[in-house]
Amino acid sequence: MRKTIVLLTLMVALPATLHAQQKIQPGDVMSLTCIEEPALNGEYTVNPNGFVLLQFIGAVQVKGLTAEEAARKIADTLVRQQILRRATIKVRLKGDALPPMQPPPVVVSGAVSQPGEVQWREGIRLAEALKAAKPSVVADLTRIRITRGDGTVESVDFSQYVEGTNQANPLLLPGDAVFVPVQITVLDVMVLGAVVKPGVVPFKEGMTVRDAIAAAGGTRADADARNASVRFAAGGEARVDLTGEQAKMQLAPGDQVVVPLRPANQFIFVRGAVVRPGTMPWEPGMTLSIALRDAAPIRDAPLDRIRLRRANESGKIQVVTVNFNNIARGAAPDVELKEGDIVEVPYPVESTKTADLTTIIGIGLLLWLLFGR
């Protein structure tokens, strides 16, 4: 009798558990929200190989992940590539129902000591949410950004707030996202997107957009150099063609340069011990040096054992080992890549995957309930 009750309980709980752990598959449509960078917000269709193509970071493999796992992976990638200092990502598969019982909370992130959710209630205002999140000493309260549920963005100079009044203290709505930016020093320019080393570069008097791109290591092979943009610290934004005279535009402290990804329909794939694994746009003349520069091998990766997988005319995959160290020092010619090539960078120490112990214990327990004493 006890076994029957336990089994019935498992049968009732199983559908909910399976739904919560639904795995993303090719063809699924993901709804993605990023509090810190609204340009990433939108719906993305998972391609046949299990990837989604995202602004700034390129292709990310999400096949076989849950929505929560995909959100964590995308957030980690944004931070690791220095696109954002903090990334708050939410992913939901299209068609999944949101909890209907209570309105969604307000999410506060950025330069705060206690980022996270603040329960929404009627009449809650910005000051209350900030009090709960505790802005840090480096918070820039003059440029707080509130992203509403409909996608509109409101900028608030909270330094003008007077306690006991509603000045610079707007009402918050269910699901609002409050972002508190970090103060950028007067010597900083931010370079984001498809550059070799995205992040902060020191400002120099007379610095141009071209200078800032060079300080960030130059553009990657997947950069859309004709459609870069500059977000001015003083307000406004301008489109910049990096291949023309616009690249000589002078910058001011606090400006941001954003280099978007170039649309493409031909790709290679880089995997293994690299900072930016995934697909890369391919075009004739692309070499192994370019692919590795953009993928950024991790420290101590054995570059003398790069594996290049390529399909021959009959479709059979052939594997060639390339000593990239010889190419780097000019002792061997660079290798020209072809569409569909797979470049594998081995790890310094090969590791073996072990089975999930929790899964094994769970299966053992279920078998004991079914067939045990």
Side-chain angles (χ1 to χ4, degrees), residues 358-368:
T358 304
T359 302
I360 295 175
I361 293 174
I363 293 174
L365 178 61
L366 185 59
L367 291 174
W368 179 83

Side-chain angles (χ1 to χ4, degrees), residues 289-340:
S289 295
I290 294 173
L292 291 181
R293 181 202 68 184
D294 293 353
I298 66 174
R299 183 178 178 181
D300 296 331
L303 301 183
D304 59 338
R305 295 186 283 114
I306 302 293
R307 292 188 290 269
L308 177 62
R309 297 179 180 270
R310 176 178 295 172
N312 60 19
E313 294 182 356
S314 63
K316 184 178 180 180
I317 299 297
Q318 296 180 326
V319 182
V320 177
T321 300
V322 179
N323 187 338
F324 184 73
N325 290 334
N326 289 340
I327 297 174
R329 62 172 177 259
D334 208 347
V335 177
E336 187 168 338
L337 300 178
K338 295 183 178 180
E339 180 191 2

Side-chain angles (χ1 to χ4, degrees), residues 191-247:
V191 183
L192 304 175
V195 293
V196 176
K197 298 177 181 178
V200 174
V201 299
F203 173 78
K204 297 180 180 179
E205 194 65 36
M207 174 179 273
T208 65
V209 174
R210 181 172 294 158
D211 295 335
I213 295 292
T219 56
R220 302 197 312 242
D222 55 355
D224 186 357
R226 295 184 179 276
N227 289 294
S229 62
V230 176
R231 300 172 182 175
F232 301 108
E237 185 172 339
R239 177 182 169 277
V240 179
D241 183 350
L242 299 178
T243 65
E245 292 297 309
Q246 291 177 328

